[in-house]
C-alpha cells in the first residue's frame, strides 16, 4: 500500500472547494444514465446521496436492511443540526464553525475537509427547509437555533427533540421522488455481505435478502457506503440495536483502510442502565444542557431525594470546573467529569452511577410551557422509561457509547483506498477528529450525501464511461458469493449452546471496561486477550436456530457479532498505539495534573489508517500526517 494521498486541492482554504468544483471532471448527461451506482444505506447520508445522484441522472440502486428506508438510524437523532448561518448575529461564521470542529476534535481532523463541511452546512439547512422540514421558528418566523456543547454561539437548527426524524422524512420524500422517476431502485430488507472488486475497482456487492435468505449479486460502476457507525460494539449504546459495522468491515478486508477506530464518542447524557436484561440505552439529547444544570451532592453517598438537597449542598461540578463553558462543555469532557464524580462516590440513584440533570431553575425562570415547547418529547420519553417526571425531579443521566469518529479512511473526494468505493456519513473517519461536537453529524452526513459526493464522484466516473454494464456472471462475483455462502454455512453449522446476543453482550462489557471512557496500557492488553478468548468461544459454541434459507434474525446478528470481534481487536490495537490522550481517547497515563487530556502533537498528529494484512496477521499502520496551516494547535481548554 503506497503513501496515502488525501488529494487536498491547492489554494487557500476558503477557496479549495470552489476551485475543486470548477475544475472537476464531469460526466455528460447522456452518459450518466449508463453508469450504475450502488448506495448502501438510507440514513441522511445515503438517502441524500441516492436522491442527489438520481436527480443528476445516474442509475442508482439503494440498499438498506430495514423494511423502509425511513427507518434508518438517522431517524433517532434528537437535538439538532448545525449550520453557520449566523441568524442570531452572535459572531458565527463558516470559519468559526470550522475552528470549533477542529478544536473540538482535538486537532486530529483534516483541515480542508472540515472547512468544506462547515461551508456546505448552510446549503444543507436551505435544502431541508425547501424539502419542508419543520425546523423550529422564532416569534418573528425565522428559523430558530440553540446552542450545543463546545461552542459559544447558537447555531443548532432543530425540530423539538426529533430533528433526525424530520430531516429523514424530508430526505425520504426526495428519495421517493427519484424512485418514482425510475432513477433509483430501492432494495429494502437486504444486507450487504461482501464487496466485489474487479481489476482492483469496486464493482458490486453480494447481498442477502433478509426475508427469503436468498443470496443476490448486484453490479455497478461505483459503490457508496453510507452504512453508519459502529457504536453498538459496546452492546449497550444509544444507537439502534441493529446498527453494525459489517459493510465497512467487509470493505476493509477487501483493501479499504480503516482510520482511527479507537475514536469513539461516549455521550454524557444517556438514561442509565436500569437492569442486566437491557439491550439498549436511550439518549437524552445534549440540547437539554442548554437549560438543564448538572450536579451531584457535595456529600459522598448522600441518598436523600434530589429535591430535598438544599442549594448550598449541591456541586454543579461542570460550572465549577469549567466556568467559561459550564454545562455546555463538549461531550468527552462532560462524560469524564461525570465518571470522575461517580467513581469518587458522589453518584446518585441506587447504583451510584448517575448524576442529576436539573431543570428546576429554568422552569422557574422560563415557565414549564417554554421548556415543554423545546424538549416536550424528550421529557415524555424520560418519564415513560423511568416513571419519573422530569418537570418535578431532576433527570438521572450517565455516559454511554454513542458515536464513532473512526471509520473508513477517505480522501478529499470521500473515496476510500479502493478505487470506486466511497464512504459517506458516519461510515467514514470523517471530519470530527478525536471528538465530535453535538449536531455536527447530521450536518456532515447530509453535506456528504447531498452536496459533496455528487460533485466528487464524477471525477472517477468520467473515466468509466466506456465500461459497459457489468455482468454479475464474472468470476469475481461467483467467488465472492461462494465465500459469503460458506461463511453463513459455517455460522449455522456450529450448533453450540450460546446465542449471538449473549456473545455480543460479553464483548460489549470487555470493550466498555477496558476501552471505553478511560483506557490504559494494562487494560488494553488484557482486553486483547479477553476478546481473542471470547472470539474462539464464539466460533466453538455459537447457536443459531433455523437455516440460512429463510428469515433468520439470529443468523443476521451472528454475522455482525463475528465482524465485531475482528473490529474490536483493531479498535483496541489502535488505542494501544496512540500513546497520548486526545478528545474522546483518554489514556490514563497521559493526563495533566488536573485530569485533562494530554496530547502529544510531536508524535501523534496523524490519522492512523490501518491496512488489513490477512487472516491472523497483524494490521499494518499507515499515517496521514495532519498539517494545520490556518489554525494553531493549542491546548484545548474550556475553563
Ligand atoms: C440517539 C441518537 C441521537 C443523535 N442525535 C443527533 C443530533 O441531534 N444531531 C446530530 O448531528 N447527530 C446526532 N446523532 C448522530 C447521527 O444520528 C448519526 O451519526 C447519523 O444519523 C448517521 O447517519 P448515516 O447516514 O451515516 O447512517 P445511518 O442513519 O446510521 O444509516 C445507516 C444505513 O445503512 C444501512 N446499512 C448498514 N449496513 C448495511 C448492510 N450491511 N447492508 C445494507 N444496508 C446497510 C442501514 O440499513 C441504514 O439505512 C445521534 C445519534 C444517536 C444514536
Amino acid at each position: 500500500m503506497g503513501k496515502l494521498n488525501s488529494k487536498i486541492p491547492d489554494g487557500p482554504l476558503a477557496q479549495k472547494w470552489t476551485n475543486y468544483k470548477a475544475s472537476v471532471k464531469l460526466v455528460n448527461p447522456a452518459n450518466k444514465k449508463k453508469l450504475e451506482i450502488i448506495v448502501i444505506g438510507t440514513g441522511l447520508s445515503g438517502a441524500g446521496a441516492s436522491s442527489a445522484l438520481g436527480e443528476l441522472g445516474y442509475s442508482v440502486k439503494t440498499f438498506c436492511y430495514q423494511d423502509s428506508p425511513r427507518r434508518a438510524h438517522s431517524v433517532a437523532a434528537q437535538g439538532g443540526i448545525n449550520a453557520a448561518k449566523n441568524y442570531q448575529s452572535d459572531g458565527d461564521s463558516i470559519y468559526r464553525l470550522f475552528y470549533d470542529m477542529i478544536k473540538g476534535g482535538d486537532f486530529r481532523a483534516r483541515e480542508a475537509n472540515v472547512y468544506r463541511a462547515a461551508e456546505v452546512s448552510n446549503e444543507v439547512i436551505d435544502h431541508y427547509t425547501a424539502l419542508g422540514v419543520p425546523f423550529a421558528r422564532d416569534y418573528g418566523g425565522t428559523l430558530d437555533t440553540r446552542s450545543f456543547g463546545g461552542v459559544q454561539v447558537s447555531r443548532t437548527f432543530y425540530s423539538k427533540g426529533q430533528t433526525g426524524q424530520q430531516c429523514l422524512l424530508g430526505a425520504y420524500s426526495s428519495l421517493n421522488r427519484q424512485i418514482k422517476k425510475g432513477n433509483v431502485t430501492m432494495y429494502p430488507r437486504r444486507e450487504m455481505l461482501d464487496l466485489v472488486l474487479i481489476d482492483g475497482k469496486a464493482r458490486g456487492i453480494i447481498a442477502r435478502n433478509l426475508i427469503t435468505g436468498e443470496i443476490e449479486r448486484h453490479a455497478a460502476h461505483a459503490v457508496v457506503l453510507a452504512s453508519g457507525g459502529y457504536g453498538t460494539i459496546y452492546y449497550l449504546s444509544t444507537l439502534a440495536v441493529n446498527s453494525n459495522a459489517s459493510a465497512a468491515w467487509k470493505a476493509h478486508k477487501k483493501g479499504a483502510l480503516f482510520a482511527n477506530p479507537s475514536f469513539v464518542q461516549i455521550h454524557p447524557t444517556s438514561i442509565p442502565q436500569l437492569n442486566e436484561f437491557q439491550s439498549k440505552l436511550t439518549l437524552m439529547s445534549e440540547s437539554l444542557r442548554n437549560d438543564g444544570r448538572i450536579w451531584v451532592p457535595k456529600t459522598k453517598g448522600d441518598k436523600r431525594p434530589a429535591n430535598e438537597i438544599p442549594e448550598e449542598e449541591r456541586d454543579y461540578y461542570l460550572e465549577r470546573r469549567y466556568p467559561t463553558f459550564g454545562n455546555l462543555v463538549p461531550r468527552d469532557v462532560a462524560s469524564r467529569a461525570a465518571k470522575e464524580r461517580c467513581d469518587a462516590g458522589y453518584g446518585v440513584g441506587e447504583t451510584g452511577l448517575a448524576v442529576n440533570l436539573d431543570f428546576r431553575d429554568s422552569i422557574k425562570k422560563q415557565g414549564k410551557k417554554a421548556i415543554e415547547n423545546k424538549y416536550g418529547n424528550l421529557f415524555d420519553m424520560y418519564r415513560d422509561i423511568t416513571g419519573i417526571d422530569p418537570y418535578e425531579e431532576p433527570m438521572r443521566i450517565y455516559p454511554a457509547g454513542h458515536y464513532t469518529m473512526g471509520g473508513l479512511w477517505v480522501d478529499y473526494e470521500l473515496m476510500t483506498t479502493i478505487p470506486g468505493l466511497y464512504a459517506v456519513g458516519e461510515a467514514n473517519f470523517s471530519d470530527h477528529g478525536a471528538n465530535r461536537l453535538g449536531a455536527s453529524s447530521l450536518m456532515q452526513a447530509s453535506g456528504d450525501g447531498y452536496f459533496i459526493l455528487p460533485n466528487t464522484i464524477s471525477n472517477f466516473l468520467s473515466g468509466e464511461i466506456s465500461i459497459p454494464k457489468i455482468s454479475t456472471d464474472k468470476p469475481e462475483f461467483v467467488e465472492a458469493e461462494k465465500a459469503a455462502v460458506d461463511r453463513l454455512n459455517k455460522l449455522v453449522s456450529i450448533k453450540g449452546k450460546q446465542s449471538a446476543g449473549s456473545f455480543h453482550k460479553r464483548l460489549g462489557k470487555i470493550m466498555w471496561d477496558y476501552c471505553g471512557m478511560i483506557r490504559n496500557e494494562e487494560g488494553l492488553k488484557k482486553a486483547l486477550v479477553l476478546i481473542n478468548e471470547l472470539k474462539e468461544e464464539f466460533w466453538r459454541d455459537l447457536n443459531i436456530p433455523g437455516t440460512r434459507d429463510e428469515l433468520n434474525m439470529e443468523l443476521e446478528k451472528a454475522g455482525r457479532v463475528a465482524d465485531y470481534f475482528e473490529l474490536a481487536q483493531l479498535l483496541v490495537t489502535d488505542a494501544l498505539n496512540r500513546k497520548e490522550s486526545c478528545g474522546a481517547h483518554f489514556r490514563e497515563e497521559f493526563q495533566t495534573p488536573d485530569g485533562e487530556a494530554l496530547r502529544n502533537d510531536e508524535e501523534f498528529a496523524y490519522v492512523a489508517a490501518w491496512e488489513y494484512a490477512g487472516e491472523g496477521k497483524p494490521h499494518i499502520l499507515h499515517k496521514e500526517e495532519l498539517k494545520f496551516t490556518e489554525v494553531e494547535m493549542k491546548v484545548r481548554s474550556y475553563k
Side-chain angles (χ1 to χ4, degrees):
M1 179 75 51
K3 196 166 161 276
L4 290 171
N5 179 2
S6 48
K7 296 197 211 138
I8 300 171
D10 292 333
L13 191 61
Q15 287 305 313
K16 285 184 193 295
W17 183 229
T18 307
N19 294 347
Y20 176 89
K21 284 188 291 181
S23 59
V24 66
K25 287 188 207 140
L26 300 177
V27 177
N28 153 334
N31 284 328
K32 283 192 180 126
K33 198 78 214 147
K34 294 186 219 152
L35 292 171
E36 295 184 299
I37 304 172
I38 285 175
V39 178
I40 305 296
T42 56
L44 292 186
S45 64
S50 301
S51 44
L53 294 169
E55 184 76 45
L56 283 170
Y58 292 107
S59 294
V60 183
K61 304 179 203 175
T62 302
F63 296 76
C64 70
Y65 53 70
Q66 290 91 352
D67 56 352
S68 160
R70 64 171 287 267
R71 288 189 202 278
H73 166 68
S74 292
V75 78
Q78 301 175 345
I81 173 166
N82 288 334
K85 287 280 193 189
N86 193 26
Y87 283 163
Q88 306 280 345
S89 295
D90 55 359
D92 203 7
S93 63
I94 288 170
Y95 183 87
R96 199 180 284 273
L97 171 52
F98 150 76
Y99 182 78
D100 286 344
M101 285 175 75
I102 285 278
K103 175 186 168 193
D106 228 349
F107 303 91
R108 292 293 176 264
R110 192 189 291 148
E111 254 189 357
N113 287 51
V114 179
Y115 192 89
R116 178 180 60 186
E119 217 176 334
V120 301
S121 69
N122 290 339
E123 293 173 67
V124 168
I125 293 299
D126 291 343
H127 189 64
Y128 281 135
T129 308
L131 285 176
V133 172
F135 287 123
R137 288 179 184 264
D138 67 14
Y139 187 69
T142 43
L143 298 189
D144 198 12
T145 52
R146 56 188 174 201
S147 292
F148 261 57
V151 306
Q152 291 181 306
V153 293
S154 178
R155 65 161 74 100
T156 304
F157 295 79
Y158 65 100
S159 295
K160 270 199 174 174
Q162 40 178 257
T163 315
Q165 182 176 348
Q166 298 305 332
C167 290
L168 193 60
L169 285 172
Y172 172 67
S173 66
S174 58
L175 177 65
N176 270 332
R177 179 164 174 272
Q178 294 307 318
I179 294 173
K180 178 96 190 305
K181 286 175 81 180
N183 297 338
V184 176
T185 308
M186 187 64 225
Y187 296 88
R189 299 299 273 136
R190 301 298 201 291
E191 179 151 16
M192 169 184 155
L193 296 183
D194 209 350
L195 179 74
V196 180
L197 302 189
I198 298 177
D199 298 330
K201 293 180 182 171
R203 293 301 198 196
I205 62 160
I206 303 299
R208 180 166 178 269
N209 179 323
L210 298 179
I211 304 293
T212 63
E214 201 183 324
I215 303 297
E216 301 171 354
R217 304 174 192 173
H218 298 273
H221 294 85
V223 177
V224 179
L225 295 186
S227 48
Y230 52 91
T232 50
I233 200 165
Y234 290 90
Y235 185 68
L236 284 179
S237 84
T238 61
L239 276 92
V241 280
N242 283 332
S243 294
N244 67 86
S246 290
W249 191 251
K250 292 297 168 27
H252 171 60
K253 290 178 82 170
K254 285 280 167 87
L257 299 199
F258 208 106
N260 297 336
S262 68
F263 287 174
V264 178
Q265 177 161 85
I266 309 295
H267 198 295
T269 57
S270 160
I271 299 180
Q273 184 179 358
L274 299 173
N275 61 52
E276 274 303 305
F277 306 104
Q278 211 165 322
S279 58
K280 130 150 221 35
L281 295 171
T282 304
L283 181 77
M284 286 290 104
S285 166
E286 173 166 321
S287 58
L288 293 166
R289 286 198 271 143
N290 271 275
D291 289 301
R293 297 179 70 194
I294 294 181
W295 63 274
V296 291
K298 279 186 179 162
T299 312
K300 261 188 199 178
D302 188 339
K303 291 291 172 201
R304 282 177 291 172
N307 287 342
E308 286 174 23
I309 300 184
E311 186 63 17
E312 59 282 5
E313 291 179 44
R314 297 172 175 205
D315 177 16
Y316 295 93
Y317 57 88
L318 289 178
E319 297 170 34
R320 169 171 58 77
R321 282 179 67 176
Y322 306 98
T324 307
F325 282 73
N327 291 295
L328 282 176
V329 288
R331 293 173 178 178
D332 56 333
V333 176
S335 292
R336 282 194 293 274
K339 180 172 166 35
E340 186 278 327
R341 282 294 77 189
C342 293
D343 288 353
Y346 296 91
V348 301
E350 272 165 40
T351 59
L353 290 177
V355 300
N356 293 314
L357 176 61
D358 197 342
F359 295 86
R360 184 195 65 178
D361 295 348
S362 297
I363 291 174
K364 222 184 269 168
K365 220 183 281 165
Q366 303 170 38
K368 187 175 168 189
K369 191 72 201 155
I371 296 298
E372 194 184 326
N373 282 344
K374 286 192 250 187
Y375 316 111
N377 71 310
L378 298 173
F379 275 50
D380 291 349
M381 213 177 354
Y382 183 86
R383 192 184 42 223
D384 290 348
I385 291 172
T386 64
I388 294 169
D389 180 358
Y391 292 105
E392 300 295 331
E393 279 179 53
M395 288 181 178
R396 282 188 193 142
I397 47 147
Y398 194 68
H402 180 65
Y403 178 89
T404 43
M405 283 76 70
L408 293 177
W409 184 90
V410 287
D411 59 24
Y412 189 76
E413 298 187 312
L414 303 181
M415 188 150 90
T416 68
T417 45
I418 297 177
L421 179 71
Y422 293 78
V424 291
E426 196 173 337
N428 69 29
F429 86 103
S430 87
D431 306 333
H432 310 294
N435 175 56
R436 174 172 74 79
L437 291 184
S440 289
S441 174
L442 297 188
M443 173 191 112
Q444 176 237 332
S446 309
D448 280 4
Y450 277 113
F451 295 106
I452 300 172
L453 178 88
N455 278 296
T456 60
I457 201 167
S458 64
N459 214 21
F460 172 76
L461 288 176
S462 60
E464 306 297 307
I465 50 175
S466 59
I467 306 287
K469 196 174 165 68
I470 294 155
S471 163
T472 55
D473 293 332
K474 284 186 177 282
E476 289 84 350
F477 275 94
V478 178
E479 210 178 290
E481 180 180 314
K482 183 177 177 314
V485 170
D486 286 351
R487 187 169 188 262
L488 293 173
N489 285 339
K490 191 173 167 192
L491 285 165
V492 173
S493 66
I494 299 172
K495 304 257 176 271
K497 292 198 177 51
Q498 301 179 63
S499 68
S502 68
F503 281 107
H504 190 181
K505 191 171 175 179
R506 287 163 68 194
L507 173 66
K509 174 130 178 58
I510 298 171
M511 296 304 288
W512 182 251
D513 287 349
Y514 300 108
C515 199
M517 242 181 301
I518 290 183
R519 299 133 182 214
N520 62 44
E521 183 167 339
E522 194 192 338
L524 291 168
K525 286 187 170 157
K526 185 165 176 195
L528 278 181
V529 174
L530 294 174
I531 294 166
N532 205 34
E533 283 171 5
L534 193 61
K535 184 175 157 196
E536 283 174 12
E537 192 181 325
F538 172 89
W539 285 105
R540 243 189 359 255
D541 199 29
L542 172 72
N543 181 269
I544 298 177
T547 69
R548 73 166 176 83
D549 305 320
E550 58 183 344
L551 174 91
N552 190 336
M553 291 171 76
E554 284 301 302
L555 177 58
E556 291 168 34
K557 273 191 224 165
R560 298 166 189 167
V561 175
D563 291 334
Y564 266 158
F565 277 116
E566 298 178 12
L567 174 56
Q569 288 173 317
L570 181 62
L571 200 157
V572 174
T573 304
D574 185 52
L576 258 174
N577 169 69
R578 195 167 278 278
K579 294 185 178 54
E580 64 162 351
S581 292
C582 60
H585 170 68
F586 192 85
R587 284 280 301 261
E588 236 166 6
E589 307 93 320
F590 308 104
Q591 54 180 305
T592 61
D594 53 350
E596 303 296 339
L598 190 59
R599 279 198 333 254
N600 178 348
D601 294 336
E602 289 277 293
E603 292 178 83
F604 290 97
Y606 64 76
V607 175
W610 297 90
E611 180 187 348
Y612 181 71
E615 194 70 42
K617 295 197 183 134
H619 273 74
I620 301 162
L621 174 63
H622 300 260
K623 298 176 184 176
E624 180 194 342
E625 298 298 334
L626 292 169
K627 294 195 183 64
F628 295 91
T629 55
E630 302 284 326
V631 297
E632 195 193 332
M633 292 174 86
K634 290 190 188 143
V635 173
R636 185 168 157 250
S637 168
Y638 295 94
K639 290 184 188 275

